[in-house]
Amino acid sequence: MSTATKTSDVTVSEPPEGPSLFQRLIVRPEIGALLGALLVFAFFSIITDRFLSALGIATWLDDSSTLGIMAVAVALLMIGGEFDLSAGVMTASTALVTALLAVNAGWNVWAALVVSLVFALTVGAFNGWLVMRTGLPSFIVTLGTFLALQGLNLGVTRLVTGTVQVSGIRSADGYNSAGWVFASTLNIGDTHLQASVVWWIVLTAIAAVVLVRTKFGNWIFAVGGSLPSARAVGVPADRTKIVLFMTTAFAGWVVGSCSILRFASVQANQGVGLELHYIIAAVVGGCLLTGGFGSAIGAALGALIFGMARQGIVFARWDSDWFMLFLGVLLLAAVLVNNRFQKRAERVRR
Amino acid sequence: MTTMSLRAHRLAPGVMSWWRGSRRILPWVAATAVLAACSGPGTDAPASTQSPIAAGTLNSVAVVTHGSPGDAFWNVVKNGAEAAGKDLGVRVEYNSAGDPGQQAKLIDNAVAQGVDGLVVSMANPEALRPSIEKAVTAGIPVVTINSGESESAKFGAIGHVGQSESLAGQSAGKRLADAGRKKLLCVIHEAGNIGANQRCEGATKAFGNGSTLQVDINNPTDAQSRIKGALEADRSIDAVLTLNSQVAARAVDAVRESQSAATVATFDLNTDVVDAIRAGKLLFAVDQQQFEQGYLPVVLLQLSRTNLNLVGGGAPVQTGPAFVDKNNVDAVAALVAQGTR
């Protein structure tokens, strides 16, 4: 256990009355996810021979990235004390808006991307406004949005195209330049990293800095911890929560854009059910379902655990019939590890 | 009045000094970034194709389909692939994902594992294209199955094993029209599946007068009540065509509950469908004999690898349609029960 405190070239002169470095590390919400990620990584690296190959690394990073982009945004929202169940379908809705405008209306891809971004932000703002205005649980409000979007996805797609898939964006104007931003690959040696991996890392860094280094980050913890108290000390609660809902919608737009430009095709039923995966990744990363506690880096690590497990199980050549069982057990184990740390952390805080 | 303590997370001093220390490695990171090359969307494959020239042995085959786990239809495909693996001494790995992005990642995974052959069902060909082309350029022979017949050769696959969806739809629609039916309801159970749409289009075209209904295969109760609602709302519907054996059983129940006089016919078999055909509640089932879609690709890959054969000159191998009705249902029943029909 004490080896965990040995970080490289750390020279901290401990103030005699403060908690030790070990105790300070252990109260961080992402520590459980970090240990979980290391465990899963070590496990699959040892039992499979291709997990650590250049192609293998690219595969599980790719799988983690789109989940991670969403998980980080959902984590911010959960720290702010709300849920967004429409986040999964949003990834398909934004891709469909982009594809329909670029393919069926013949727009430039960039213009289509701007319109789908506006669409996403509008839906996000509507979610936030409705939650704050009515005082209904966001679980209920966004469930409604989720179902509405699911119906829109199928209805509009069939109405416009007569089928349930939109493809053919590769020949639209501006596809190449937009593709560079959302769907190119970065080649480091033999590893071909997808653009979504870069987006994931950048957005995680931004979210982490906003959360722990800015006034807005404080507001997020405040509204998630106790809304009446936050209001009492002058935190603009409504604005904070609406911006958080818009953030998850924005993340949905990023993932949707990455997927439509990379796969050049989108199905009307994509993204359904993924909203729970985002919540799981955030919870594995140390977010509490009750709000007011969590971390963006933790959520990114949670997504990494998810992606490594999902691809690692395939690399391990285990029978796919049991796939979901493995995944469920792994994620439960990660949450349990987390929980143990949380309990220790609370003892340290006291 | 409660006072609020804002939890400002202070980064541990250890983390801060780590950041200061990391400035020393930043130039290296920058250098790596400069060395890293970029390539555009969907073109991350090397330009030269290195197809295997010499004959060898086929050790492992990965099968990646778009079926959801637990689907009765895909279970038969899986059984077919595993049976072929057993018969030919090839290790067969079956994986599936309904989401095209996830399916593409599973194909990448198989390529990373360095399998000797790849079998892919293409419900959404465009989305799988970069991954399949990557496999082809890596020298892995690909056989497509079930759907994506028209794109198969374009992506560089050595063959396709399946059933032409619109032709099968047309033959089902024609058969219902020949039975003297006047108005058709075609039930689609997967929102993103292009093959399902082609079947219904073919059926309504050959039949002449029909509409489609969307249901969710993962929610049988809801599927049944939606079909029931459609039959009650329009009493003139006298034929229901379902595209999946699980939905067929729901449609039979819906017809009974709504006391409609409609005839039900379906694509694909399972024990419920067999019983319903025996009982005269189902007119016929269009069987695309999907066991072949699991079994034959492994044979194609084996022949291509060990004997450099190209089966059918690369032309699509048709596995159906075969019709199961009152006349031959008893012979097929035992095979359905063992999961091969």
Side-chain angles (χ1 to χ4, degrees):
Chain A
M1 219 51 265
S2 60
T3 50
T5 63
K6 285 211 166 54
T7 41
S8 58
D9 69 75
V10 178
T11 47
V12 193
S13 52
E14 290 290 342
E17 72 282 355
S20 72
L21 173 63
F22 171 66
Q23 285 178 326
R24 265 206 306 273
L25 271 179
I26 215 161
V27 299
R28 301 210 53 79
E30 56 275 278
I31 189 74
L34 182 64
L35 284 179
L38 288 174
L39 271 176
V40 172
F41 176 80
F43 176 73
F44 284 114
S45 303
I46 291 163
I47 68 161
T48 72
D49 51 348
R50 295 297 181 114
F51 189 77
L52 266 182
S53 67
L55 280 172
I57 291 171
T59 307
W60 50 258
L61 277 179
D62 174 22
D63 196 359
S64 308
S65 64
T66 44
L67 175 65
I69 292 168
M70 295 305 297
V72 167
V74 166
L76 294 189
L77 181 67
M78 282 172 70
I79 296 167
E82 303 291 348
F83 290 103
D84 186 355
L85 295 184
S86 67
V89 176
M90 185 58 87
T91 60
S93 296
T94 49
L96 281 166
V97 171
T98 307
L100 288 172
L101 290 175
V103 177
N104 295 75
W107 289 27
N108 180 294
V109 173
W110 284 105
L113 283 170
V114 169
V115 172
S116 72
L117 175 60
V118 170
F119 165 79
L121 294 177
T122 309
V123 175
F126 171 76
N127 274 339
W129 174 81
L130 203 59
V131 167
M132 297 316 283
R133 187 65 200 268
T134 58
L136 283 168
S138 51
F139 201 87
I140 303 299
V141 170
T142 56
L143 184 62
T145 322
F146 159 41
L147 296 173
L149 284 176
Q150 197 183 343
L152 264 180
N153 287 356
L154 184 58
V156 171
T157 310
R158 279 186 70 113
L159 192 72
V160 175
T161 64
T163 172
V164 287
Q165 292 176 9
V166 189
S167 37
I169 199 169
R170 281 192 220 277
S171 50
D173 284 346
Y175 169 75
N176 278 336
S177 56
W180 276 101
V181 177
F182 289 105
S184 56
T185 46
L186 181 72
N187 307 331
I188 301 174
D190 287 342
T191 315
H192 304 295
L193 290 182
Q194 291 290 343
S196 55
V197 178
V198 179
W199 275 96
W200 176 37
I201 293 167
V202 169
L203 291 176
T204 305
I206 293 172
V209 168
V210 165
L211 201 56
V212 298
R213 283 264 169 267
T214 67
K215 191 159 58 168
F216 185 74
N218 267 340
W219 291 350
I220 297 175
F221 282 108
V223 294
S226 164
L227 193 58
S229 318
R231 282 203 166 113
V233 295
V235 172
D238 289 21
R239 203 183 348 148
T240 305
K241 290 211 180 189
I242 288 172
V243 168
L244 286 175
F245 277 105
M246 289 169 81
T247 307
T248 56
F250 167 78
W253 173 78
V254 172
V255 171
S257 305
C258 285
S259 112
I260 181 65
L261 290 165
R262 177 178 168 190
F263 299 123
S265 149
V266 55
Q267 284 179 194
N269 65 339
Q270 248 164 269
V272 176
L274 293 183
E275 59 283 339
L276 295 178
H277 292 188
Y278 309 148
I279 292 172
I280 291 171
V283 170
V284 168
C287 287
L288 293 183
L289 289 173
T290 48
F293 186 80
S295 107
I297 294 170
L301 288 168
L304 186 65
I305 291 175
F306 210 113
M308 285 194 297
R310 208 155 44 180
Q311 296 298 326
I313 288 168
V314 181
F315 277 116
R317 293 177 175 152
W318 294 340
D319 187 344
S320 58
D321 291 354
W322 304 96
F323 180 85
M324 285 296 170
L325 174 69
F326 295 136
L327 201 58
V329 169
L330 261 168
L331 290 170
L332 266 180
V335 177
L336 287 174
V337 168
N338 234 329
N339 202 22
R340 285 296 298 272
F341 272 96
Q342 211 108 75
K343 291 251 190 314
R344 292 197 63 145
E346 265 151 33
R347 277 211 299 279
V348 171
R349 274 206 200 88
R350 278 185 228 118
Chain B
M1 191 66 234
T2 51
T3 49
M4 175 84 203
S5 65
L6 291 185
R7 276 208 205 98
H9 264 286
R10 230 166 42 79
L11 280 173
V15 178
M16 286 313 293
S17 66
W18 169 83
W19 169 245
R20 275 194 292 276
S22 73
R23 281 188 200 166
R24 258 172 284 155
I25 60 164
L26 275 182
W28 296 104
V29 175
T32 317
V34 171
L35 284 175
C38 248
S39 46
T43 56
D44 47 3
S48 63
T49 310
Q50 20 158 319
S51 51
I53 319 145
T57 52
L58 185 77
N59 297 315
S60 60
V61 168
V63 183
V64 182
T65 75
H66 68 270
S68 46
D71 182 290
F73 175 91
W74 288 103
N75 179 43
V76 176
V77 176
K78 186 182 180 189
N79 288 343
E82 283 171 350
K86 213 174 271 145
D87 293 351
L88 301 171
V90 178
R91 198 182 60 233
V92 172
E93 300 285 337
Y94 178 96
N95 278 293
S96 64
D99 177 82
Q102 271 306 320
Q103 210 195 335
K105 283 160 197 167
L106 286 171
I107 296 170
D108 293 345
N109 191 313
V111 174
Q113 287 188 43
V115 293
D116 298 330
L118 192 56
V119 180
V120 184
S121 73
M122 298 200 295
N124 192 328
E126 204 51 55
L128 303 181
R129 185 178 183 163
S131 294
I132 289 178
E133 285 177 345
K134 214 184 300 177
V136 171
T137 42
I140 299 172
V142 179
V143 175
T144 57
I145 57 168
N146 184 266
S147 32
E149 186 182 308
S150 48
E151 286 83 1
S152 173
K154 209 165 41 186
F155 294 176
I158 63 165
H160 177 84
V161 180
Q163 159 183 277
S164 162
E165 300 293 6
S166 46
L167 282 179
Q170 282 171 34
S171 60
K174 188 173 170 305
R175 227 180 139 110
L176 280 167
D178 292 346
R181 302 291 144 186
K182 297 282 173 281
K183 193 162 190 189
L184 174 71
L185 178 73
C186 193
V187 184
I188 296 183
H189 59 266
E190 277 171 357
N193 186 334
I194 221 145
N197 269 284
Q198 290 167 341
R199 282 181 186 178
C200 272
E201 272 169 20
T204 44
K205 200 167 77 181
F207 188 85
N209 174 24
S211 55
T212 57
L213 174 72
Q214 184 79 44
V215 301
D216 179 7
I217 188 162
N218 296 319
N219 190 344
T221 323
D222 174 64
Q224 184 169 327
S225 32
R226 280 199 210 184
I227 298 168
K228 194 173 140 188
L231 292 171
E232 280 167 0
D234 185 352
R235 282 283 169 195
S236 63
I237 293 173
D238 57 3
V240 179
L241 181 64
T242 61
L243 309 182
N244 169 290
S245 49
Q246 285 151 309
V247 182
R250 300 284 66 80
V252 167
D253 290 348
V255 166
R256 195 189 62 238
E257 284 178 12
S258 62
Q259 291 164 356
S260 152
T263 306
V264 185
T266 184
F267 280 77
D268 303 342
L269 290 169
N270 67 5
T271 46
D272 289 346
V273 168
V274 167
D275 292 344
I277 291 174
R278 274 189 180 142
K281 289 179 188 151
L282 264 172
L283 190 61
F284 62 84
V286 184
D287 182 17
Q288 64 171 305
Q289 308 183 97
Q290 68 272 26
F291 188 80
E292 296 175 29
Q293 294 176 11
Y295 198 99
L296 289 178
V298 183
V299 177
L300 261 62
L301 289 167
Q302 168 88 342
L303 289 171
S304 144
R305 186 94 182 116
T306 58
N307 209 30
L308 306 181
N309 286 143
L310 191 59
V311 174
V317 178
Q318 295 293 329
T319 63
F323 283 93
V324 176
D325 55 17
K326 260 202 139 63
N327 304 322
N328 60 354
V329 68
D330 290 320
V332 175
L335 302 171
V336 172
Q338 68 181 31
T340 61
R341 274 300 287 266

